[in-house]
Amino acid sequence: MSDALDHPQLTSHRYRLTTADGVGIDSVLLRGAPGRTAAVVLANGFTGSHRSPHIRAIAESFGSIADVMTFDFRGHHGSGGHSTVGNAEIHDLEAVVSHLRGLGYTSIAAVGFSMGAAVVVRHAAVYGGVAAAVSVSAPSRWYYRGTRRMRLIHLGVGRTAGRFFLRSFRKVRVTDQSWQDRPAEPREIAGEVSPTPLLVVHGEADTYFPTSHATAIYEAAAEPRELWLVPGMGHAERAVSPELALRLRSWLRERLPLD
């Protein structure tokens, strides 16, 4: 099913994907000119959605250089299952990347925000096969409670009342099960992303994770790698200004083939 977007050169195609562990994923592919072989995947932060105007704006900016796929992580909005807040979500991203390959895309970049950024780093290290990985506002380690906002997040996902609030008011269903096996933290696995280019972006005004998280991921990574600490920037996709979106697009353009 396709429909015209405000952007005159992009059309929207809805897909229902299934992960390796059987979870349905709601996704949308924004397509430009026919015959493109490059695509960018956008991975939202926790409680985010492909319906977000912030993700939509970033997708439309990137749409001038590649087709763009957005999706809802498990437990979020139109997708099935329950959120594990960054663990099993690696299967969601792999389902999206695999689907794009099946559609004929030969060069795929992944751009993640907050929780989605941690998933992008892990995915690039574990699965590989992407042309570039971009981490925006990622945590470097799990269970971080060093800021007020993260303490509130942990209350939300760790308590019955908090999960009820998320389900009722944010359309996010969070599992009540603890992780049986802790996955490698972004700072522990970043070195395995190479030879895929890794860009680590973080706002200096981030109220969820301080910039030490970005530097920990960057220092653990191998070349090729870049670190952008952005003055005045807050957290995740909501904090991506049009100027930063253009800067990210230029970085991606240099690493994706021109169609």
Side-chain angles (χ1 to χ4, degrees), residues 53-244:
H54 308 285
I55 285 292
R56 174 70 169 264
I58 297 167
E60 291 188 358
S61 177
F62 291 176
S64 65
I65 63 165
D67 291 350
V68 182
M69 185 159 242
T70 61
F71 68 100
D72 289 347
F73 277 115
R74 63 183 60 206
H76 284 63
H77 305 274
S79 291
H82 288 76
S83 173
T84 66
V85 201
N87 187 353
E89 282 76 7
I90 192 173
H91 301 305
D92 307 350
L93 181 54
E94 175 60 12
V96 173
V97 171
S98 294
H99 184 74
L100 288 171
R101 291 195 189 104
L103 292 176
Y105 294 96
T106 56
S107 185
I108 302 166
V111 180
F113 306 90
S114 192
M115 180 189 78
V119 174
V120 163
V121 172
R122 290 181 55 227
H123 178 272
V126 173
Y127 286 98
V130 292
V134 180
S135 163
V136 181
S137 306
S140 64
R141 59 188 187 275
W142 309 131
Y143 310 116
Y144 177 74
R145 293 177 172 83
T147 60
R148 179 177 180 274
R149 289 186 181 272
M150 284 309 300
R151 288 191 289 274
L152 290 173
I153 291 291
H154 281 282
L155 285 174
V157 302
R159 295 187 177 182
T160 301
R163 292 191 294 271
F164 174 80
F165 173 85
L166 289 168
R167 183 173 66 251
S168 300
F169 297 100
R170 301 301 297 270
K171 297 183 180 180
V172 176
R173 304 172 305 281
V174 179
T175 182
D176 60 359
Q177 302 296 312
S178 300
W179 292 351
Q180 293 184 351
D181 297 306
R182 182 183 71 83
E185 295 178 326
R187 61 180 177 175
E188 295 172 335
I189 205 168
E192 299 178 35
V193 173
S194 180
T196 298
L198 174 63
L199 171 61
V200 180
V201 182
H202 212 94
E204 292 185 349
D206 193 318
T207 56
Y208 289 80
F209 305 111
T211 56
S212 57
H213 285 263
T215 56
I217 294 172
Y218 173 76
E219 289 171 359
E223 299 293 346
R225 59 180 181 164
E226 288 188 42
L227 174 65
W228 298 355
L229 298 180
V230 184
M233 178 187 171
H235 185 68
E237 57 262 47
R238 289 178 175 270
V240 175
S241 65
E243 294 76 19
L244 180 57

